[in-house]
Amino acid sequence: MLHGRRILLIISGGIAAYKGLDLIRRLKERGASVRCVLTAGAQQFITPLSAAALSGEKAYTDLFSLTDESEMGHLRLAQESDLLVVAPASADLLAKMAGGLADDLASTALLATDKPILVAPAMNFRMWGHAATQANLATLAARGVKRIGPNSGPLAENESGMGRMAEPLEIVAAVEAIFAGAAALTGKRALVTSGPTHEPIDPVRYIANRSSGKQGHAIAAALVQLGADCTLVSGPTEEPDPPGVKVVQVTTAREMLAACETALPVDIAVCAAAVADWRTEGTDAKLKKKEGTIPSLTLVENPDILARLSQAGDRRPKLVVGFAAETENVVANAQAKRVRKNCDWILANDVSPATGVFGGDQNTIHLVDAQGTEDWPSLTKRDVGERLAQRIAAFFKAEKST
Ligand code: C5P
């Protein structure tokens, strides 16, 4: 499956462009999101409208169109993808890629990316056999560009030979194989907490905090992308459910703890939720405003979910990761917290109002473990999720080899 995978599909000129449309459908059926770029050649065979209708997203065609640039620069187009697929890849586009040309949107996106690239060549058999095409393919292979096909069979103009584009389902299998190569957490079970908790004061009022859930949701999405079987226990947030993740919605800290305990046993637990430390004793009836009296709330302590999951015992996850949202002495406080809560790693971040971390898209993390501290650069929350998932995969890989 390709849940949550973002694919930039570049369709170049050739009769096989119509199969590019089928490929959009096949990739989407498997849960991928697909954005399309059509070269001028592709537009001789298919229309941007068909690509947009099938992908559910605008289809991009023009490097210099001001609207395209203001909505979605060519750099972002490539960077916001996990994989670039060129299908069909014409001899001309392969030559541009090999030569580093960037004279239209497709070739510019291909030059401006550091993401993996898969090409599905399609052309006449003489063009395929030409020394120039073969040299270009060798150059691209040496740079790590992956290739599927072409196949041998009937070609346009009543000819036959090597040059038929691989079938859409073969291309999908190649795409899945590329991602499977990265599926380092297959077979691992993960639990992630996310969002705030709401603690009722009475049936209409509650205590809450500003957590958006963006970071926890991004971590769950990244763990699933590496093949983990992931349960996300989330407090109330506006965030959409990440694809492929089992989401359990809760409201209070006690509900969150119960849902986490139900999800055990797991190999990995990441507590990213901003759990309310206290709850009120609560009342079943709405507090009434009375002239001259101000009600006082009696607070009682909530369970510490991270500390509970970190408790020794045969149900303790192999790796327990907590967060420390601090406004001062970020790393020192995180080190103390790691020991106090008995978790393995703490991701410490500065949440002073000036950082904009709460509710924002960026996060600057210091990973604290028993060995020391690793400072990460400022990253998007999505990238923090991916980096953490990679770090977790490396942890299990090292475990296996010891
Ligand atoms: O103690 P503090 O709230 O700063 O600890 C933060 C870490 O502990 C976070 O990983 C948070 O998800 C977790 N936590 C928890 N349950 C609580 C309080 C915090 O899991 N009641």
Side-chain angles (χ1 to χ4, degrees):
M1 290 311 262
L2 295 168
H3 287 301
R5 302 296 191 182
R6 300 166 304 170
I7 293 172
L8 184 65
L9 174 61
I10 295 175
I11 305 181
S12 65
I15 183 66
Y18 79 91
K19 288 201 219 167
L21 293 177
D22 189 30
L23 179 59
I24 301 173
R25 225 163 44 85
R26 303 291 183 180
L27 291 168
K28 284 191 62 88
E29 272 168 12
R30 283 159 180 77
S33 65
V34 183
R35 267 189 190 142
C36 297
V37 169
L38 272 63
T39 65
Q43 291 170 69
Q44 301 293 320
F45 296 90
I46 59 168
T47 65
L49 189 61
S50 332
L54 287 165
S55 67
E57 301 214 28
K58 181 176 157 59
Y60 296 84
T61 53
D62 190 357
L63 179 58
F64 295 110
S65 146
L66 284 178
T67 14
D68 281 10
E69 284 299 305
S70 61
E71 273 176 21
M72 168 67 62
H74 57 273
L75 298 178
R76 266 182 62 203
L77 205 52
Q79 277 324 103
E80 292 183 358
S81 314
D82 303 307
L83 174 70
L84 279 70
V85 177
V86 190
S90 64
D92 178 65
L93 187 51
L94 291 170
K96 279 185 186 165
M97 288 171 71
L101 266 66
D103 65 351
D104 63 2
L105 181 57
S107 52
T108 307
L110 285 159
L111 193 63
T113 191
D114 53 6
K115 301 295 165 83
I117 301 173
L118 171 71
V119 296
M123 63 197 72
N124 173 273
F125 72 96
R126 290 185 199 84
M127 291 166 86
W128 174 255
H130 197 286
T133 304
Q134 291 303 316
N136 290 336
L137 287 163
T139 302
L140 294 175
R143 286 188 203 138
V145 171
K146 309 240 178 346
R147 174 163 68 83
I148 170 84
N151 298 336
S152 184
L155 299 169
E157 288 155 0
N158 287 330
E159 292 200 300
S160 175
M162 193 70 171
R164 254 177 93 80
M165 187 174 89
E167 293 304 319
L169 284 178
E170 291 177 81
I171 300 175
V172 168
V175 167
E176 285 179 328
I178 289 173
F179 288 122
L185 291 175
T186 301
K188 294 277 182 267
R189 287 170 54 98
L191 166 66
V192 178
T193 69
S194 186
T197 63
H198 287 181
E199 309 296 332
I201 294 170
D202 67 15
V204 294
R205 303 181 179 94
Y206 57 84
I207 300 174
N209 61 65
R210 293 185 197 282
S211 168
S212 63
K214 283 183 181 163
Q215 188 58 85
H217 279 56
I219 292 168
L223 290 169
V224 163
Q225 289 204 352
L226 288 196
D229 172 2
C230 184
T231 301
L232 175 67
V233 180
S234 176
T237 76
E238 302 278 302
E239 285 295 292
D241 291 354
V245 174
K246 280 181 235 123
V247 182
V248 184
Q249 310 275 3
V250 297
T251 306
T252 66
R254 286 187 294 177
E255 287 169 12
M256 188 172 272
L257 174 64
C260 288
E261 286 179 335
T262 305
L264 293 178
V266 295
D267 303 286
I268 306 147
V270 181
C271 293
V275 184
D277 290 317
W278 306 282
R279 64 179 184 276
T280 70
E281 282 186 320
T283 146
D284 292 340
K286 185 177 172 223
L287 295 177
K288 284 272 182 219
K289 206 159 131 182
K290 267 191 234 129
E291 198 65 35
T293 53
I294 298 172
S296 63
L297 299 176
T298 310
L299 298 178
V300 291
E301 200 164 351
N302 262 334
D304 187 321
I305 299 164
L306 175 61
R308 292 273 186 103
L309 293 172
S310 301
Q311 264 169 20
D314 55 1
R315 277 156 72 87
R316 185 193 194 279
K318 186 87 210 152
L319 185 68
V320 184
V321 183
F323 272 76
E326 303 286 348
T327 50
E328 52 194 8
N329 301 329
V330 177
V331 169
N333 285 339
Q335 279 162 340
K337 190 166 293 180
R338 195 191 74 78
V339 175
R340 194 167 64 242
K341 300 210 184 199
N342 193 34
C343 60
D344 301 294
W345 301 348
I346 286 267
L347 301 195
N349 55 354
D350 187 344
V351 293
S352 312
T355 64
V357 168
F358 255 60
D361 287 321
Q362 292 286 126
N363 211 349
T364 307
I365 294 289
H366 311 275
L367 189 155
V368 174
D369 67 7
Q371 274 71 49
T373 308
E374 195 177 288
D375 298 321
W376 293 2
S378 172
L379 297 168
T380 62
K381 289 182 176 175
R382 182 181 178 116
D383 287 342
V384 166
E386 285 176 6
R387 187 153 173 167
L388 177 63
Q390 295 288 354
R391 195 69 171 59
I392 291 173
F395 168 87
F396 282 102
K397 195 167 169 210
E399 271 268 300
K400 222 165 109 189
S401 59
T402 54

